[in-house]
Amino acid sequence: MRKGWVYLLAVLAATAGAQSYPARSVSLVVPFTAGGPTDVLGRTLAAAMGKSFGQTIIVENRTGAGGTIGTAYVARAAPDGYTFLLQHTGMATAPALYRKLSYDPLKDFEYVGQVVDVPMTLVARKDFPPKTPEALLDYLTAQKENINLANSGPGAVSHLCAMLLQQALGVQMTTISYQGTAPALAALMGGHVDVLCDQTTQTIPHIKSQRIKLYASATRKRIAALPDTPTLDELGLKGFEVMVWHGVYAPKGTPKEALGKFGAALRAALKDPMVKTRLKELGVQWVPEAMQTPAGLRDWLAAEIARWTPIIKKAGVYAE
Ligand code: ASP
């Protein structure tokens, strides 16, 4: 009898050891606060991916330093297929923005695929004085450092958009940094800061409920979900555009099987009609399927690093 038990346990142990991937829940690190644009995108995808992935995907918020803390965490995590990262354009801007960056986006990661694009909007506290979008830019230029401009930390896309806005206007406003859009938006709604440039996934619901004021979109063409809103380009800032792209990464050395299965679940989630309906209402735009692949993401990232580095160097902005 005792021998039988020993045999059974040995068989169970061997089966567990040989159990195919994924054998337990997987963590998807979001390097910004819960309730922000990157987090909402991560949670929407994680819930949909769970259907085909066979295990729960847990979103883990590791915040700070404009997303670089969470990104560095994933670069150093065990490459066992149980840690992934959802990061945005900040993956391409951090190498130029940070004097010291503990990871190399092109060397320290495996690539799963690109996700979606999210446009940016320029919003302000409800009682911000300019009455029309046309009056906004003159007001910002005249008030300069009296304007409190919020962002989610150096390296965040809100920071990037704010940096380009100040550069285009030729003025320096007062920067107030948060660890994500959720606290930055709360400060805007509370009237503690004046202006914020951030993704539509978070601004559209608050614009609709009239808790913040929408002035412009930071896209070349008007945003489909906000057809009556002028672009900054139309208001006079020619060529102004900050479109936020997203990618999913894993630590360097993550097994191919894990990358393949996680990637397949990601692409399935991007086809999920519920995901599409929910995100499209929030202004989200789909990228071609060829970009939703490891090579699509890696090539895009390399091109984006090459695009942003001279722009950031010219702006002379650095983070420690
Ligand atoms: N929207 C933020 C940024 O500016 C990040 C976030 O909270 O998702 O990068």
Side-chain angles (χ1 to χ4, degrees):
M1 182 68 179
R2 199 181 287 163
K3 244 188 184 171
W5 272 110
V6 170
Y7 176 73
L8 185 64
L9 285 175
V11 169
L12 283 175
T15 322
Q19 200 173 359
S20 70
Y21 175 87
R24 56 184 164 86
S25 65
V26 166
S27 140
L28 178 63
V29 172
V30 165
F32 294 99
T33 45
T38 319
D39 179 72
V40 165
L41 180 60
R43 284 176 199 275
T44 306
L45 291 172
M49 283 170 74
K51 291 181 200 164
S52 63
F53 190 62
Q55 287 284 352
T56 311
I57 298 164
I58 299 167
V59 171
E60 216 184 302
N61 301 91
R62 291 196 172 255
T63 63
T68 57
I69 288 179
T71 307
Y73 168 82
V74 174
R76 288 190 298 268
D80 55 6
Y82 290 91
T83 307
F84 289 85
L85 166 74
L86 174 66
Q87 185 41 313
H88 58 33
T89 314
M91 196 70 165
T93 54
L97 273 172
Y98 279 79
R99 288 188 205 272
K100 280 191 211 128
L101 195 64
S102 67
Y103 56 86
D104 182 334
L106 292 174
K107 290 198 181 124
D108 297 338
F109 297 90
E110 302 290 348
Y111 306 91
V112 176
Q114 254 200 71
V115 187
V116 288
D117 290 343
V118 186
M120 301 286 273
T121 41
L122 191 61
V123 293
R125 63 180 156 85
K126 216 170 61 187
D127 51 356
F128 198 52
K131 294 264 176 296
T132 61
E134 289 69 28
L136 175 75
L137 299 185
D138 286 344
Y139 185 83
L140 295 179
T141 311
Q143 291 296 317
K144 300 180 192 127
E145 68 274 3
N146 293 333
I147 306 284
N148 287 328
L149 181 56
N151 70 36
S152 302
V157 282
S158 45
H159 169 244
L160 185 68
C161 187
M163 182 187 86
L164 295 174
L165 179 69
Q166 292 172 96
Q167 197 185 29
L169 293 174
V171 294
Q172 200 72 46
M173 301 177 216
T174 301
T175 292
I176 319 270
S177 289
Y178 296 86
Q179 299 212 337
T181 297
L185 258 178
L188 195 70
M189 287 189 278
H192 309 301
V193 288
D194 299 314
V195 185
L196 171 70
C197 181
D198 222 304
Q199 287 109 303
T200 51
T201 29
Q202 243 49 33
T203 57
I204 284 182
H206 298 304
I207 292 163
K208 287 198 171 146
S209 65
Q210 296 181 351
R211 279 187 283 180
I212 55 176
K213 210 178 201 175
L214 169 66
Y215 281 98
S217 53
T219 43
R220 205 63 73 85
K221 287 195 193 137
R222 290 191 177 198
I223 298 171
L226 300 168
D228 301 328
T229 306
T231 64
L232 282 168
D233 179 281
E234 284 173 58
L235 295 178
L237 302 184
K238 289 293 160 220
F240 197 101
E241 181 170 42
V242 184
M243 179 63 86
V244 186
W245 59 269
H246 298 79
V248 172
Y249 307 81
K252 188 85 192 167
T254 298
K256 289 231 160 16
E257 186 196 11
L259 295 172
K261 287 192 174 167
F262 202 78
L266 179 64
R267 287 182 283 279
L270 288 168
K271 287 203 179 88
D272 186 317
M274 262 160 56
V275 170
K276 283 199 162 170
T277 310
R278 167 142 204 249
L279 293 181
K280 281 191 173 163
E281 276 169 10
L282 299 174
V284 174
Q285 298 176 11
W286 258 243
V287 299
E289 279 185 33
M291 310 280 270
Q292 299 169 4
T293 58
L297 174 58
R298 197 190 178 285
D299 293 351
W300 179 256
L301 174 65
E304 281 285 284
I305 292 175
R307 178 165 87 100
W308 285 111
T309 300
I311 298 173
I312 294 165
K313 293 251 161 21
K314 189 174 159 224
V317 190
Y318 293 100
E320 294 303 328

